[in-house]
Amino acid sequence: MSDHHGYSEKDVQREVSELEAQSATAARIFDLRRIIGGLFVVYGIIVTIAGINPSDTDLDKAEGVNINLWTGLGMLLLGIFFLVWLKLRPTPPTALPEEERGQ
């Protein structure tokens, strides 16, 4: 069965190239550093805002330490670290060996 259902070798290679490009784009979009960094920044902002004006009962529970403020700032710094790391060391595109590309 050598019937290719109307696809030429050039059509197949073009389709493979398009799929490789889409795969590389998806890998960059769903990089865990982006997801983790983004979530830590968002939650860090929320917790920091909650810690800006703590109530006396919250401070008494934590023995005088403003836990929300310090935890929020720590989360914010960690999230920024992940996003800077992503910016400085982006995910390299995957290159297929020459024999797999059909050249």
Side-chain angles (χ1 to χ4, degrees), residues 71-85:
T71 303
L73 290 174
M75 292 172 72
L76 195 57
L77 288 174
L78 183 63
I80 290 170
F81 167 76
F82 271 96
L83 295 176
V84 168
W85 179 21

Side-chain angles (χ1 to χ4, degrees), residues 32-43:
L32 284 179
R33 295 174 292 180
R34 180 184 317 267
I35 296 168
I36 292 171
L39 285 174
F40 267 100
V41 166
V42 169
Y43 291 142

Side-chain angles (χ1 to χ4, degrees), residues 4 6-16 101-103:
H4 292 284
Y7 291 111
S8 69
E9 184 68 27
K10 194 171 193 171
D11 290 337
V12 171
Q13 288 201 359
R14 181 180 46 80
E15 186 75 24
V16 167
R101 283 190 232 165
Q103 295 179 357

Side-chain angles (χ1 to χ4, degrees), residues 34-101:
R34 180 184 317 267
I35 296 168
I36 292 171
L39 285 174
F40 267 100
V41 166
V42 169
Y43 291 142
I45 290 171
I46 293 169
V47 174
T48 301
I49 290 171
I52 289 176
N53 292 322
S55 66
D56 290 334
T57 57
D58 287 340
L59 288 176
D60 289 341
K61 285 182 197 176
E63 297 181 5
V65 178
N66 191 348
I67 291 177
N68 284 339
L69 181 64
W70 290 110
T71 303
L73 290 174
M75 292 172 72
L76 195 57
L77 288 174
L78 183 63
I80 290 170
F81 167 76
F82 271 96
L83 295 176
V84 168
W85 179 21
L86 176 69
K87 186 73 171 170
L88 295 177
R89 304 274 314 220
T91 305
T94 56
L96 293 176
E98 290 294 323
E99 59 269 3
E100 288 185 22
R101 283 190 232 165

